[in-house]
């Protein structure tokens, strides 16, 4: 089955700086790659996603890139703000979603 | 839209007791997913339903776990008997699936979760 690895497990950034989280997947047939943000005490919330026929997608301060050949995808958050502090999960789907282990992002003022 | 509704939000029970978690998916969604989240294992898919029919229950840990979806607006996850290692946050999610493929962005909407503690 699909295996998704996510790095780093924790990420501390200064407010205003950029944050990058990277994921790799194993199943070349996976065709959908969402990113979820989970705040304390809440369920994961989709923030951006990308399909395998697209290399990059951007939504305001958030962007995702996909390299199908290398089987990795990344989340980029620019101009980070304290409210960006949360756990971020990547996932890959071929049939069902397989989640990465998560990245704890802390944005310090 | 009320979103995915789960109850209870917190459950504390003693080992050996039966636990029932409840979920109401978003109206109009026809796929429902039960996940378990722990520090050690992260987010794990336990089972998912499409049009009220269980499609994949390969993630259900053992026979103590069972899930039902009697209608499009309600699902339960039951643990009987419960054990301390079942302590986790259990999430329900729903999405809209068309003709066997999740439509649009394939977005799964998650509920707030049920934090289960088995002592």
């Amino acid at each position: 089955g699909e295996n998704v690895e996510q790095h780093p497990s924790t990420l501390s950034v200064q407010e205003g700086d950029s944050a990058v989280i990277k994921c790799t997947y194993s199943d070349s047939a996976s065709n959908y790659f969402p990113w979820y943000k989970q705040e304390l005490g809440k369920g994961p919330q989709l923030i951006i996603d990308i399909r395998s026929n697209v290399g990059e997608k951007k939504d305001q301060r958030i962007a995702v890139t996909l390299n199908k050949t290398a089987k990795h995808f990344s989340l980029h958050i620019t101009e980070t703000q304290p409210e960006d502090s949360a756990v971020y999960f990547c996932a890959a789907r071929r049939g069902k979603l397989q989640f990465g282990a998560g990245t704890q992002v802390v944005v310090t003022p | 839209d009320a979103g995915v509704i789960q109850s209870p939000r917190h459950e504390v029970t003693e080992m050996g007791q039966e636990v029932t978690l409840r979920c109401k998916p978003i109206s109009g969604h026809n796929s429902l997913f039960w996940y378990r989240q722990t520090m050690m294992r992260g987010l794990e898919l336990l089972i998912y339903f499409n049009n009220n029919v269980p499609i994949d229950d390969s993630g259900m840990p053992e026979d103590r776990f069972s899930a039902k979806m009697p209608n499009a607006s309600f699902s339960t996850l039951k643990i009987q008997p419960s054990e301390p290692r079942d302590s986790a946050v259990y999430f329900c999610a729903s999405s809209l699936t068309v003709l066997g493929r999740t439509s649009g962005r394939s977005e799964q909407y998650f509920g707030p979760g049920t934090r289960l503690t088995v002592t």
Side-chain angles (χ1 to χ4, degrees):
Chain A
E2 176 65 275
N3 181 48
V4 177
E5 295 192 357
Q6 183 172 347
H7 301 279
S9 56
T10 59
L11 181 60
S12 183
V13 296
Q14 201 80 20
E15 182 178 358
D17 288 349
S18 296
V20 180
I21 304 170
K22 298 181 179 181
C23 290
T24 60
Y25 61 99
S26 59
D27 190 343
S28 57
S30 289
N31 58 9
Y32 174 66
F33 308 90
W35 285 87
Y36 284 83
K37 176 183 180 182
Q38 186 176 22
E39 297 175 327
L40 198 61
K42 298 184 179 180
Q45 180 182 12
L46 181 77
I47 54 172
I48 195 168
D49 56 11
I50 192 168
R51 293 190 174 276
S52 57
N53 58 348
V54 176
E56 184 173 357
K57 184 176 178 181
K58 189 174 181 181
D59 183 2
Q60 299 182 334
R61 296 186 298 108
I62 294 173
V64 58
T65 59
L66 171 66
N67 183 326
K68 286 177 58 181
T69 303
K71 289 189 284 188
H72 65 69
F73 56 114
S74 301
L75 177 72
H76 304 253
I77 307 173
T78 58
E79 301 173 23
T80 53
Q81 301 167 5
E83 52 263 38
D84 295 329
S85 296
V87 178
Y88 292 80
F89 292 95
C90 63
R93 189 190 78 166
R94 181 199 181 192
K96 57 186 179 184
L97 279 178
Q98 182 68 43
F99 285 85
T103 297
Q104 174 78 59
V105 174
V106 177
V107 180
T108 53
Chain B
D1 194 334
V4 176
I5 299 172
Q6 291 187 247
S7 65
R9 292 296 311 278
H10 301 273
E11 177 79 33
V12 180
T13 190
E14 291 184 348
M15 180 173 135
Q17 297 298 306
E18 177 180 296
V19 174
T20 299
L21 312 181
R22 296 173 176 80
C23 175
K24 178 179 169 54
I26 292 173
S27 177
H29 282 188
N30 60 359
S31 290
L32 184 140
F33 308 80
W34 282 102
Y35 288 89
R36 179 172 66 176
Q37 186 177 42
T38 61
M39 288 296 293
M40 291 298 295
R41 301 175 68 90
L43 265 168
E44 303 173 276
L45 178 66
L46 301 178
I47 185 171
Y48 82 91
F49 295 83
N50 181 245
N51 293 324
N52 312 339
V53 176
I55 303 300
D56 184 347
D57 65 354
S58 59
M60 296 286 261
E62 47 197 277
D63 292 345
R64 297 185 297 106
F65 286 68
S66 62
K68 294 182 179 179
M69 191 163 186
N71 57 62
S73 59
F74 184 67
S75 177
T76 60
L77 177 68
K78 186 177 292 187
I79 309 173
Q80 166 64 20
S82 58
E83 296 182 2
R85 60 192 168 120
D86 301 330
S87 297
V89 180
Y90 291 81
F91 289 104
C92 175
S94 70
S95 68
L96 178 62
T97 300
V98 177
L99 297 178
R101 295 180 57 204
T102 307
S103 67
R105 297 191 302 167
S106 305
E107 181 169 351
Q108 289 186 18
Y109 293 84
F110 281 76
T114 295
R115 180 173 295 277
L116 173 65
T117 303
V118 183
T119 59

